[in-house]
Amino acid sequence: MEPIKAELVVLGAGPGGYAAAFYAADLGKKVILVEKESRLGGVCLNHGCIPSKALLYATGLIGEARESAERGIAFSDPEIDVAKLRSWKDSVIHKLATGVGALADRRGVEVLTGRGHFEGSGVLRVETEGGQRFIEFENVIVALGSRPSIPKALDLGNRRVMTSNEALEVEMIPESLLVVGGGYIGMEMGTVYAALGSRVVLVEALDSILQGIDSDLVRPVLRYAKEHFDELRIRTEVRKLATKGKQIEVTTDGTDGKTTELYDRVLVSVGRRPNSDDLGLGNTKVELDERGFIRVDGQQRTADSNIFAIGDVTGGVLLAHKASKEARVAVEALVGESSIFEAVIPAVVFTHPEVAWCGLTETEALDRGIAVEVAKFPWAASGRAISVDKPDGLTKLVIEPETERILGMGIVGVGAGELISEGVALIEMGGTARDLAETVHPHPTLSETLMEAAEMFYGHATHATSRQKRKQ
């Protein structure tokens, strides 16, 4: 069979890959999108962002119903149909994946289902169900993402030891669940299973959950976890897992010494690793770092000039929207534009309450010796937060003292992920605290907390008092 000729091959159809394929097609490129799974969307749509947020929404209703009794509206205890919940979650995935496939068709993007392997710097071999296909390409964008990492000591080959992939399938509701790792995946999935009725114990080896986030933003999440999880153990490591009948025997070592307990399921969420292995990159000039991530420059170009890489496979923050932005940069670079990756990337943790931040954090400023001033507005002073019974939140600004430019923003509270984009726009545009303070926000809304945080910087927020008044 004759090799297929292609201007551009995109390897991987996640939010970075299909964004790159679609943008290149919009610019007139003939694109082949290679994806090993039968449906498009990658890990984010099929095994990560979308199913986890669907489950967090669904299970969050349980807590809302219970809390409503305090407002005079009581419901009976929920009856959970796991099969129906799983079917609904799968329907969400199917609907979105079908939509991505339709968009590929409308743009004339050819989708080839199979696993790609580099034969050289200009040839890709694709293993399909119908046999091998060879593609001779002018350029390729590698967007293969990442997968859960599980240490060998914890990998028993037992279905009762899960990664996030298996946990999102919700095959059953375990009576007891140990979550190993207090990062965003562990916290989100622990929240889901605790709401469904599991006795959740979370262990974290470090001295806090959600490492890298300012402690004042983590505090409300920590309070929620302590109330809804059976136990949360900090500075605790898992030393050993062993199969014990229909359960998993777990030995942990923490501040109170060693403990051995039995759990119905164990979720290991201690990080992710790039899908850069078994790809034939040794047949190219592409370079990997010590952790297996593909090295790229500011235009997402690898050491092999016609091979680009984007998203999780390149390291940094492993976020879908970062991959999508990198997709545009890579496509613009390969068509000859001077695009370069310089962007403020927001992050959101969809716990209860949500946490979102962008730009410089207060912790980073301290670690790097950057002089900043911090302005905070407590949601306990927000009319909207109180009226929806969600006062346990905070909006904070990290501000450059001399110029009053906003360098960072952090929010913890309901809907924080929907609010953070205003901070991204302000930072991207070089906006100041004055710009934000003088921008009229609708009342009563949670968005007002951003404006009032800026007013706090000047010492005259309407709904809160500041200890220090700034010179006008």
Side-chain angles (χ1 to χ4, degrees), residues 6-19:
E7 285 185 278
L8 173 64
V9 174
V10 179
L11 197 53
Y18 72 71

Side-chain angles (χ1 to χ4, degrees), residues 213-279:
I213 307 175
D214 287 344
S215 60
D216 51 359
L217 300 179
V218 173
R219 209 166 290 128
V221 182
L222 191 59
R223 279 197 295 269
Y224 179 93
K226 288 180 176 179
E227 290 175 8
H228 293 83
F229 292 5
D230 194 68
E231 197 172 349
L232 196 154
R233 303 174 188 168
I234 304 302
R235 295 186 292 277
T236 300
E237 296 185 47
V238 176
R239 296 299 187 189
K240 183 181 178 183
L241 298 183
T243 301
K244 214 71 166 176
K246 293 184 178 181
Q247 292 183 301
I248 301 297
E249 184 180 71
V250 183
T251 301
T252 59
D253 191 355
T255 54
D256 296 328
K258 286 189 176 181
T259 303
T260 299
E261 300 163 309
L262 293 174
Y263 292 90
D264 296 318
R265 290 287 189 276
V266 175
L267 167 60
V268 180
S269 55
V270 294
R272 299 183 67 83
R273 56 186 296 186
N275 292 324
S276 60
D277 48 354
D278 195 27
L279 184 57

Side-chain angles (χ1 to χ4, degrees), residues 376-382 391 393-395 449 456 463-464:
K376 302 179 185 181
F377 183 81
W379 285 23
S382 162
L394 177 73
T395 298
T449 67
M456 291 288 279
H463 297 104

Side-chain angles (χ1 to χ4, degrees), residues 9-12 33-37 112-120 123-128 131-135 137 140 142 144 275-281 283:
V9 174
V10 179
L11 197 53
L33 181 57
V34 177
E35 169 56 49
K36 67 178 182 179
E37 294 201 20
L112 187 59
T113 304
R115 187 183 297 272
H117 187 277
F118 284 96
E119 293 291 298
V123 180
L124 189 73
R125 184 181 80 243
V126 182
E127 301 287 347
T128 74
Q132 295 183 350
R133 301 293 303 275
F134 290 87
I135 306 174
F137 58 83
V140 65
V142 180
L144 287 173
N275 292 324
S276 60
D277 48 354
D278 195 27
L279 184 57
L281 290 177
N283 298 323

Side-chain angles (χ1 to χ4, degrees), residues 36-234:
K36 67 178 182 179
E37 294 201 20
S38 58
R39 60 187 177 192
L40 307 183
V43 169
C44 179
L45 198 160
N46 294 290
H47 311 293
C49 318
I50 298 301
S52 63
K53 276 53 187 181
L55 291 173
L56 281 161
Y57 165 73
T59 56
L61 296 176
I62 298 173
E64 290 286 343
R66 287 174 179 158
E67 291 169 6
S68 71
E70 299 178 7
R71 306 170 201 129
I73 304 172
F75 298 89
S76 58
D77 289 339
E79 295 181 8
I80 299 172
D81 185 331
V82 177
K84 195 168 184 178
L85 174 63
R86 185 170 56 249
S87 177
W88 171 78
K89 179 261 299 181
D90 290 342
S91 73
V92 172
I93 297 169
H94 176 74
K95 183 181 296 184
L96 290 170
T98 300
V100 174
L103 289 170
D105 288 341
R106 289 174 195 165
R107 285 178 162 92
V109 173
E110 180 182 349
V111 177
L112 187 59
T113 304
R115 187 183 297 272
H117 187 277
F118 284 96
E119 293 291 298
S121 296
V123 180
L124 189 73
R125 184 181 80 243
V126 182
E127 301 287 347
T128 74
E129 288 187 358
Q132 295 183 350
R133 301 293 303 275
F134 290 87
I135 306 174
E136 294 180 354
F137 58 83
E138 295 177 16
N139 289 288
V140 65
I141 297 176
V142 180
L144 287 173
S146 63
R147 63 187 184 273
S149 177
I150 181 165
K152 289 184 179 179
L154 306 184
D155 190 2
L156 300 182
N158 186 323
R159 287 176 59 84
R160 293 180 178 84
V161 179
M162 308 181 293
T163 67
S164 57
N165 289 356
E166 294 79 31
L168 287 167
E169 290 302 313
V170 198
E171 291 183 353
M172 48 87 75
I173 303 173
E175 184 176 334
S176 59
L177 171 68
L178 176 71
V179 178
V180 184
Y184 73 95
I185 294 175
M187 291 301 299
E188 289 182 0
M189 295 312 302
T191 299
V192 167
Y193 277 92
L196 290 173
S198 294
R199 179 176 63 84
V200 175
V201 175
L202 186 142
V203 297
E204 168 56 54
L206 301 176
D207 58 3
S208 175
I209 61 170
L210 301 177
Q211 281 288 318
I213 307 175
D214 287 344
S215 60
D216 51 359
L217 300 179
V218 173
R219 209 166 290 128
V221 182
L222 191 59
R223 279 197 295 269
Y224 179 93
K226 288 180 176 179
E227 290 175 8
H228 293 83
F229 292 5
D230 194 68
E231 197 172 349
L232 196 154
R233 303 174 188 168
I234 304 302

Side-chain angles (χ1 to χ4, degrees), residues 152-454:
K152 289 184 179 179
L154 306 184
D155 190 2
L156 300 182
N158 186 323
R159 287 176 59 84
R160 293 180 178 84
V161 179
M162 308 181 293
T163 67
S164 57
N165 289 356
E166 294 79 31
L168 287 167
E169 290 302 313
V170 198
E171 291 183 353
M172 48 87 75
I173 303 173
E175 184 176 334
S176 59
L177 171 68
L178 176 71
V179 178
V180 184
Y184 73 95
I185 294 175
M187 291 301 299
E188 289 182 0
M189 295 312 302
T191 299
V192 167
Y193 277 92
L196 290 173
S198 294
R199 179 176 63 84
V200 175
V201 175
L202 186 142
V203 297
E204 168 56 54
L206 301 176
D207 58 3
S208 175
I209 61 170
L210 301 177
Q211 281 288 318
I213 307 175
D214 287 344
S215 60
D216 51 359
L217 300 179
V218 173
R219 209 166 290 128
V221 182
L222 191 59
R223 279 197 295 269
Y224 179 93
K226 288 180 176 179
E227 290 175 8
H228 293 83
F229 292 5
D230 194 68
E231 197 172 349
L232 196 154
R233 303 174 188 168
I234 304 302
R235 295 186 292 277
T236 300
E237 296 185 47
V238 176
R239 296 299 187 189
K240 183 181 178 183
L241 298 183
T243 301
K244 214 71 166 176
K246 293 184 178 181
Q247 292 183 301
I248 301 297
E249 184 180 71
V250 183
T251 301
T252 59
D253 191 355
T255 54
D256 296 328
K258 286 189 176 181
T259 303
T260 299
E261 300 163 309
L262 293 174
Y263 292 90
D264 296 318
R265 290 287 189 276
V266 175
L267 167 60
V268 180
S269 55
V270 294
R272 299 183 67 83
R273 56 186 296 186
N275 292 324
S276 60
D277 48 354
D278 195 27
L279 184 57
L281 290 177
N283 298 323
T284 71
K285 298 176 184 177
V286 173
E287 297 176 355
L288 305 179
D289 69 13
E290 64 281 356
R291 298 174 59 197
F293 292 103
I294 296 176
R295 297 184 189 275
V296 294
D297 64 14
Q299 291 191 313
Q300 307 303 131
R301 197 185 302 270
T302 71
D304 210 321
S305 61
N306 63 332
I307 300 177
F308 296 75
I310 62 174
D312 285 11
V313 77
T314 66
V317 290
L318 309 185
L319 297 171
H321 44 283
K322 169 178 169 285
S324 298
K325 175 62 176 178
E326 290 173 339
R328 297 186 72 86
V329 171
V331 170
E332 288 168 356
L334 68 86
V335 298
E337 296 185 18
S338 59
S339 183
I340 192 167
F341 183 76
E342 290 180 342
V344 176
I345 303 297
V348 185
V349 182
F350 293 85
T351 44
H352 293 315
E354 291 179 10
V355 187
W357 68 101
C358 63
L360 185 71
T361 68
E362 184 179 6
T363 302
E364 287 172 337
L366 182 63
D367 291 344
R368 292 161 56 183
I370 299 173
V372 297
E373 290 187 32
V374 174
K376 302 179 185 181
F377 183 81
W379 285 23
S382 162
R384 178 61 174 169
I386 293 173
S387 66
V388 297
D389 206 7
K390 301 294 182 183
D392 196 11
L394 177 73
T395 298
K396 67 182 292 186
L397 304 175
V398 179
I399 301 166
E400 187 174 55
E402 291 184 3
T403 65
E404 299 186 358
R405 281 194 310 126
I406 296 174
L407 303 180
M409 178 182 289
I411 307 171
V412 58
V414 60
E418 305 297 335
L419 297 172
I420 197 62
S421 294
E422 185 173 356
V424 175
L426 280 163
I427 298 169
E428 287 278 15
M429 298 173 67
T432 66
R434 176 69 63 192
D435 293 327
L436 182 55
E438 294 187 355
T439 299
V440 178
H441 288 65
H443 177 78
T445 64
L446 296 173
S447 69
E448 284 179 294
T449 67
L450 280 67
M451 175 186 69
E452 297 219 51

